[in-house]
Each structure stands twice: as C-alpha cells, then as structure tokens.
Amino acid sequence: MSQARSRLWHRWDATGQAVVRAAFLWLLIPTLWALAGCAQLPALPPLHAGDSHWSGRLALQIEDQATQSFSASFELQGNPARGELVLLSPLGNVLARLHWEPGRAMLVSGNETQTSDSLGALLQQSTGTQLPIATLFDWLNGTAANADGWQADLSHLDQGRLTAIRHTPAPRATLRIALDR
C-alpha cells in the first residue's frame, strides 16, 4: 500500500472503530432502558403469616378546582392494621413507600419523610383526600365493604380490575386499580 492510502486506511480504521463503538452504545443504551422497564421487583416477603399481597397499576384522580392525577405501579402487602404500599415508576424505581402499623404511619418519598399517628391522617395530608386503605383490602379480596362516601365497582375484579369513586365529601376522587395476573 502507498503511504497516502495507508494513512487513509489507518484514519478510517480508527474512525470506523469509533463509529462502530458509538453505534453499539446507541443500540445498547435503549435496550438496557427497555429491559429495565420490563424488570419487576421480586415479591415483598409477607409482613406476617396470613397477610395479603397484590401488585399492579393504580391511578388516582382528584377532581378539585384543578384536577390532579397520579398513576404508578404498586406493591401492596399486609392488612388494614399493618402493611406497606410501595409505588413504582415505569422503570421500577421506588417513588414512595407507605408503611403503617398501630399508632404510626410513615411515608417516604425521595429524601422526604412524613409521619403521623394514623394512616388516614397521613393519606389526607399527602394526597389532599381521604383514601379508604383499610376498605381497599376488603375490595381486593372481593368483599363489597362500605367506606364513607365511596362506591366500589367489583364487577370486573375477576379480570383484575377495580374502580372506586368517592362522591362525598368533596373533592370527588376516582381510584382505578389493574392487578397483575
């Protein structure tokens, strides 16, 4: 090979390797993101024998002066007296962790921690509305339990779907749950 051709080949080889490396990274990064999005956390161990465990997606819409909506994947375990609710992003990152036991409730979201002596008060403080977590356990078990102001539609629970609407007191709220199969 001539010197000019050799230099040109050497430059293409170095540039070609850089292009191949860059293309590999451009393909690898989205693939890793996609795989991370499909990853699921392992099931949380039960807090106590006989406790229930559910996972899926939930959406909460609060129709106040400015409608607020929130949705996330979730892991719920425990019972109305003692349990844990973990909210997850689409990539599986923990957005918030709610833990309750008699006389104490704690919500951890990022670097922020909120505590209260009751689950109801903590949920009211953090969401702006009362959420029937204790009754939610009954609904997920297929029991049509009453919660003040709430009406639950359990007719699609066999398909993993639950909808509950709070009509009173204002603001109106809609909770939708899709359970993992």
Side-chain angles (χ1 to χ4, degrees):
M1 258 193 245
S2 71
Q3 273 187 340
R5 194 171 172 189
S6 176
R7 267 187 253 128
L8 180 63
W9 177 254
H10 181 69
R11 176 185 286 162
W12 181 87
D13 190 36
T15 305
Q17 286 178 350
V19 168
V20 169
R21 246 183 264 126
F24 177 74
L25 288 175
W26 277 104
L27 291 172
L28 178 64
I29 291 171
T31 302
L32 290 175
W33 277 103
L35 289 174
C38 296
Q40 297 212 359
L41 291 178
L44 298 169
L47 295 173
H48 294 90
D51 280 350
S52 299
H53 179 267
W54 295 275
S55 64
R57 294 174 313 283
L58 65 80
L60 175 65
Q61 183 175 5
I62 301 170
E63 299 172 21
D64 206 351
Q65 293 166 339
T67 299
Q68 303 170 45
S69 295
F70 175 80
S71 63
S73 295
F74 76 93
E75 297 273 338
L76 172 65
Q77 69 174 3
N79 59 58
R82 182 183 314 266
E84 184 172 62
L85 173 64
V86 179
L87 300 176
L88 305 159
S89 75
L91 296 177
N93 298 327
V94 174
L95 299 172
R97 183 177 305 267
L98 176 64
H99 177 82
W100 65 93
E101 56 191 41
R104 182 170 184 245
M106 180 173 58
L107 175 65
V108 178
S109 180
N111 294 331
E112 191 176 320
T113 300
Q114 298 176 29
T115 59
S116 178
D117 58 352
S118 79
L119 178 59
L122 182 60
L123 290 172
Q124 173 73 38
Q125 174 188 350
S126 60
T127 66
T129 190
Q130 294 179 356
L131 297 173
I133 294 291
T135 309
L136 181 60
F137 283 90
D138 288 332
W139 292 341
L140 289 170
N141 280 317
T143 303
N146 291 325
D148 288 340
W150 286 86
Q151 181 180 3
D153 178 3
L154 306 181
S155 63
H156 300 289
L157 193 56
D158 61 335
Q159 299 164 6
R161 306 252 186 251
L162 179 144
T163 302
I165 299 173
R166 188 185 76 196
H167 299 283
T168 59
R172 180 182 167 148
T174 304
L175 176 65
R176 290 184 176 84
I177 295 178
L179 297 171
D180 287 342
R181 293 273 161 181

